[in-house]
Amino acid sequence: MRAPLGIFDRFDHAVPAPACLGRLTPPVAEAIGGWSGDVPADRILYVDTDPAIADTAAFVAHYGQELLGRSANCVVVAAKRGGETTLAACLVPSYGRLDVNGAVRRHLGARKVSFAPMEKAVEATGMEYGGITPVGLPAAWPLLVDAAVAEMPYVLVGSGRRRGKLIMPGAAFTQLPSAEVLEGLALTP
C-alpha cells in the first residue's frame, strides 16, 4: 500500500497500523487495537523507517524539508505546581517550537513547566525516546494538540519506537483521551 497522496508518496510500503501491531510498543498497539474514534483505525498507517534518522532534523534531511509542514513532534513535559508534578504531552508541528513557558504553562496552570527528563518520559510512556507518540499515552495525561496539527489532512508522527512512523489524519489526534486543541501551542519562525 502507498501512503496518502502527496508528500508521503516516498513511503511506498505503508501498512494499516492495525495489521502490524507487533511492530509497535505495547501501549501504542493497545491503543490502535482498541481504536474507537470517528476516524477509522485503518486510516492510521505504519511506515518502516531507519531508527538512525528518527530525530526530526535527520529525518527531514533524509526525506525532504517539505516534511516539516506535514509532521509533528510529541513532547513530554513536567508541570510543577504546589509541590506536585504532573506529566503532560504536547503535539506541535515539526516546523515550530513548543511554547513551554507561555502557552503550556498557562494552560496547565503550573508555576513551572520543563521538558520531562528522558528516563522519566520513557518509563512513563512505555515508548522509546525519539519515537514517543500521542497514541497510547496514559489516558489521565493532558494531551495538548496545536490546532495546526489537528487541521493537517495527514500527519507523520512517531510510532512509539525509533524505528517506524505513523501517518494519520490530524483530526484523529483530537479523538485521543484527554486531547485538547489549542491555538498557538507552537512558536513558529
Side-chain angles (χ1 to χ4, degrees):
M1 168 185 239
R2 292 188 63 77
L5 294 176
I7 202 162
F8 299 118
D9 286 348
R10 64 201 76 204
F11 303 109
D12 57 358
H13 296 296
V15 179
C20 61
L21 297 178
R23 296 182 188 177
L24 306 170
T25 59
V28 177
E30 184 178 320
I32 290 174
W35 187 264
S36 62
D38 293 337
V39 173
D42 64 357
R43 289 191 54 204
I44 302 171
L45 305 175
Y46 172 84
V47 291
D48 190 42
T49 58
D50 182 351
I53 59 169
D55 296 323
T56 302
F59 197 82
V60 167
H62 181 80
Y63 285 106
Q65 288 292 317
E66 59 275 6
L67 281 177
L68 283 176
R70 296 282 188 93
S71 59
N73 291 321
C74 184
V75 181
V76 178
V77 297
K80 297 177 183 177
R81 181 181 178 153
E84 289 188 28
T85 300
T86 301
L87 294 178
C90 303
L91 188 64
V92 295
S94 294
Y95 59 77
R97 288 183 308 116
L98 180 62
D99 185 9
V100 176
N101 293 311
V104 176
R105 186 182 60 74
R106 280 191 305 274
H107 188 77
L108 295 177
R111 181 181 49 78
K112 180 181 178 185
V113 176
S114 57
F115 297 108
M118 178 179 63
E119 302 81 25
K120 185 148 188 94
V122 167
E123 178 184 338
T125 62
M127 301 179 202
E128 294 177 4
Y129 189 76
I132 293 175
T133 183
V135 179
L137 289 173
W141 283 20
L143 170 58
L144 310 181
V145 179
D146 189 279
V149 174
E151 293 167 4
M152 291 180 190
Y154 277 89
V155 184
L156 181 88
V157 294
S159 68
R161 296 190 193 278
R162 289 185 65 81
R163 165 164 237 115
K165 300 284 186 187
L166 297 177
I167 299 173
M168 54 194 289
F173 297 110
T174 68
Q175 298 168 18
L176 293 170
S178 304
E180 297 179 68
V181 178
L182 298 176
E183 295 282 344
L185 191 58
L187 300 170
T188 57

